[in-house]
Amino acid sequence: ILVLFIATTLISNLFFNLMTALQSLLTKAGDSAAYQYRRRASLLKPLYTLSVFAEALNLSFLPGYVARIVGEHGSVSTVFGVYFLCFALVLVPAGRYAARRNLRNMMVFGLILCAAGLLLLAAAGEFYQVLLARAVSAAGQGILLIAVQSYLLRLEDDGSNGDTSLIVLGLNIGTIS
């Protein structure tokens, strides 16, 4: 019950901050670089946290679900290994892409891949479909991580004294919740 209370508190705080940021967008108050950074980061944090939350929801039932689908054709550890391998493989190319391209489009693409991976997993009936779903989810999470990280670093380069702990907080809030 304590963990559920903590998770609920973290998520409600996240959405309270989102509502405050959305309200500040409507009032257009504050033009300083630090204020702009805080506003953009407060809009980005719920997006990233919810994507991690959606992926972390799988962790409670994924081993049993995969074991039932995989049967004798493969192992559950192979599915998890493919996820982490694809996540690691996408980081370097995503980092290179992020250095030169539009990060918002990259974030949208990462979110689309995350959602597609979840949909593929829900529809999977065979071992190779599960592997594909986990590979797509991993690519989406990796792209999204690099895009969020690069976006925050660009905001800091623009002169604001921001807090790049958003990634760590988003990851932990999403996973705990």
Side-chain angles (χ1 to χ4, degrees), residues 83-151:
Y83 177 88
F84 290 110
L85 179 67
C86 289
F87 183 84
L89 288 175
V90 79
L91 293 178
V92 172
R96 288 187 178 148
Y97 182 87
R100 298 181 304 274
R101 305 295 174 131
N102 186 328
L103 294 176
R104 288 182 186 161
N105 293 341
M106 192 174 170
M107 283 183 222
V108 169
F109 183 65
L111 287 171
I112 289 170
L113 285 178
C114 290
L118 291 174
L119 290 173
L120 286 170
L121 186 62
E126 296 181 17
F127 176 66
Y128 295 106
Q129 292 171 335
V130 171
L131 285 179
L132 176 65
R134 297 307 293 155
V136 169
S137 287
Q141 287 292 327
I143 289 170
L144 188 59
L145 173 69
I146 293 297
V148 168
Q149 179 182 16
S150 299
Y151 187 74

Side-chain angles (χ1 to χ4, degrees), residues 2-3 6 20 29 35 43 46 52 58 71 81 87 113 115 120 135 137 143-144 150 159 162:
L2 180 62
V3 172
I6 291 170
T20 305
Y35 177 79
L43 291 172
V52 172
N58 291 330
F87 183 84
L113 285 178
L120 286 170
S137 287
I143 289 170
L144 188 59
S150 299

Side-chain angles (χ1 to χ4, degrees), residues 13 23 27 32 50-51 55 62-65 76 82 100 122 141-142 147 149-150 157 165 167:
N13 185 39
Q23 185 178 15
T27 61
S32 70
L50 288 176
S51 72
E55 187 64 36
L62 194 60
Y65 178 71
V76 175
V82 164
R100 298 181 304 274
Q141 287 292 327
Q149 179 182 16
S150 299
D157 287 344
S165 66
I167 295 170

Side-chain angles (χ1 to χ4, degrees), residues 142-166:
I143 289 170
L144 188 59
L145 173 69
I146 293 297
V148 168
Q149 179 182 16
S150 299
Y151 187 74
L152 292 172
L153 291 173
R154 276 190 196 172
L155 287 175
E156 274 196 1
D157 287 344
D158 290 342
S160 55
N161 295 325
D163 180 14
T164 54
S165 66
L166 181 141

Side-chain angles (χ1 to χ4, degrees), residues 18-59:
L18 175 63
M19 294 302 289
T20 305
L22 290 174
Q23 185 178 15
S24 73
L25 276 177
L26 295 175
T27 61
K28 304 272 187 194
D31 290 332
S32 70
Y35 177 79
Q36 294 295 328
Y37 175 85
R38 282 193 306 273
R39 187 180 73 183
R40 289 178 182 160
S42 63
L43 291 172
L44 186 59
K45 187 176 179 180
L47 172 80
Y48 181 65
T49 302
L50 288 176
S51 72
V52 172
F53 176 69
E55 187 64 36
L57 277 175
N58 291 330
L59 298 179

